Amino acid sequence: MMLTTTKKLLTVGALGFALSACVSVPQPDPNDPFESYNRTMFEVNEALDGAILKPVARTYETLVPNPVRTCVSNIFGNLGDVWSGFNSMLQGRGLDAVNTFGRVLFNTTVGLGGCIDVASMNGAHKIRNDFGTTLAVWGAGEGDYVVLPGFGPSNFRDTAGLVVDSVGKTEAYLSPWSIDNVKLRNPVVGLGVIDTRAGLLDADELADNIAIDKYSFVRDAYLQNRRALVAQKLAPEITDGTQVPAWSQEDDSRYGPGEDMFMTPTIDQYRPTTDDLEYGGLPSYDDPDGDATSSGASGLPQYEDPEAEAAPSPAAAPAPAKASSASAPDAALPQYEDPEA
């Protein structure tokens, strides 16, 4: 069965190469030398996916209750964790291997065969790994980007890793392909494919909505994701008991009970105080009361008092005269005639 599937994929790949001969990209990306073929195979995969896998995945998501779908995904994920642990050992990351195998033991026993991801509920999150990242840790370069028929985005290194992953999981009885009973194996394989495709529906919808060029969007997202994963594996493990910030419900809302007990947020202790703030960049102003003189502060505009010149000095002021009705009127005031005079 696996040999037949491989032959079909090779046939689709040969068809993609033949079609790519008729398609040329005017300005190919220098980091994507096979862009003509890749775009053609991407369109072929999109057509097959839109005609078969996507409708089936949406039907599966609509008809199957969420707890059942979560249980199926967790069981397949629990089997995948075993292979991830093996790859952590091959990479020399003993702590990752111990944590991963601990997840498998915890989920298999307490989690009812992996149906419930109890480990993630208690803060032991999944450690992604595969043989492609193992090759990267061993020093293999990623090679050129390539779109595989039926599988989608990859590169030369991850393609070799995918072959080892498929054979290794089958030989270790971690894949549905290792089931001898054909009548049981085929539905389980189909369920695994549908479950994987259903888990990508949201990402596919996001790419359709925001991407101007979906091919470039998928390519760049894949390469960035893989390079980040490889960088994580090349970083040293924390083996000296150093405390790391705990996960909180805001960090990851996929998990159920147990978050508040085991995932206490620790961001409060990193918040800056007013002592940490610097005010050197703020504008400075002169204090108008600091250097005030009799004529006013130097930084403020000066105005002349309109009454200063009109008011006589005390020394030159004449003696007040006796008020009389015959005194001369003030010239500065308007004069009116008294109608009754």
Side-chain angles (χ1 to χ4, degrees):
M1 179 67 181
M2 188 173 183
L3 181 60
T4 303
T5 304
T6 303
K7 290 181 179 179
K8 292 181 179 179
L9 292 178
L10 291 176
T11 302
V12 175
L15 177 61
F17 274 113
L19 293 176
S20 64
C22 303
V23 178
S24 61
V25 179
Q27 296 179 348
D29 191 327
N31 298 320
D32 187 2
F34 301 105
E35 186 172 359
S36 296
Y37 156 76
N38 288 334
R39 285 187 177 274
T40 302
M41 183 52 61
F42 179 80
E43 295 297 332
V44 172
N45 287 342
E46 285 285 291
L48 294 176
D49 177 72
I52 302 174
L53 288 180
K54 186 182 291 187
V56 174
R58 291 196 181 279
T59 303
Y60 170 77
E61 187 179 49
T62 302
L63 298 181
V64 180
N66 184 54
V68 177
R69 288 187 281 112
T70 302
C71 177
V72 172
S73 297
N74 289 341
I75 291 175
F76 284 113
N78 193 47
L79 294 174
D81 281 344
V82 180
W83 185 247
S84 295
F86 285 144
N87 280 280
S88 294
M89 294 177 61
L90 294 174
Q91 296 167 10
R93 301 180 66 87
L95 183 59
D96 284 356
V98 170
N99 290 336
T100 299
F101 288 134
R103 274 181 50 87
V104 174
L105 179 62
F106 201 20
N107 287 336
T108 302
T109 55
V110 182
L112 304 178
C115 180
I116 305 173
D117 192 355
V118 184
S120 293
M121 293 179 184
N122 290 274
H125 296 273
K126 181 184 292 290
I127 300 175
R128 295 173 52 213
N129 218 335
D130 53 52
F131 197 74
T133 57
T134 299
L135 292 175
V137 172
W138 289 353
E142 69 177 18
D144 295 324
Y145 177 77
V146 62
V147 178
L148 300 178
F151 290 95
S154 184
N155 55 51
F156 287 175
R157 182 185 62 206
D158 290 343
T159 300
L162 180 63
V163 174
V164 177
D165 287 338
S166 301
V167 176
K169 288 180 181 181
T170 302
E171 295 299 324
Y173 295 95
L174 301 174
S175 171
W177 290 106
S178 59
I179 301 176
D180 294 331
N181 189 338
V182 178
K183 294 183 179 180
L184 175 63
R185 179 185 63 199
N186 291 344
V188 175
V189 170
L191 179 62
V193 173
I194 295 172
D195 175 73
T196 301
R197 184 61 186 90
L200 297 174
L201 286 175
D202 291 340
D204 184 68
E205 183 177 357
L206 176 66
D208 288 333
N209 292 335
I210 69 174
I212 299 177
D213 182 7
K214 187 175 181 180
Y215 167 80
S216 298
F217 179 85
V218 173
R219 177 193 61 196
D220 296 342
Y222 173 81
L223 293 177
Q224 292 176 11
N225 180 50
R226 294 297 297 180
R227 289 166 184 171
L229 181 60
V230 170
Q232 178 185 359
K233 303 307 176 185
L234 293 175
E237 292 182 291
I238 301 176
T239 58
D240 58 355
T242 303
Q243 293 290 333
V244 296
W247 287 64
S248 66
Q249 186 172 2
E250 289 77 12
D251 296 324
D252 197 335
S253 59
R254 293 175 297 173
Y255 307 110
E259 289 174 330
D260 298 333
M261 182 182 298
F262 297 97
M263 304 181 189
T264 304
T266 58
I267 193 173
D268 291 339
Q269 60 182 321
Y270 302 111
R271 288 178 178 169
T273 63
T274 55
D275 296 335
D276 300 326
L277 301 177
E278 297 180 357
Y279 297 98
L282 297 179
S284 60
Y285 300 95
D286 294 333
D287 186 359
D289 297 330
D291 298 330
T293 61
S294 59
S295 61
S298 60
L300 297 177
Q302 304 298 321
Y303 300 95
E304 296 181 357
D305 187 355
E307 299 179 357
E309 298 178 357
S313 61
K322 294 182 179 180
S324 63
S325 59
S327 60
D330 191 350
L333 297 177
Q335 304 299 319
Y336 300 95
E337 296 182 356
D338 186 356
E340 300 178 356

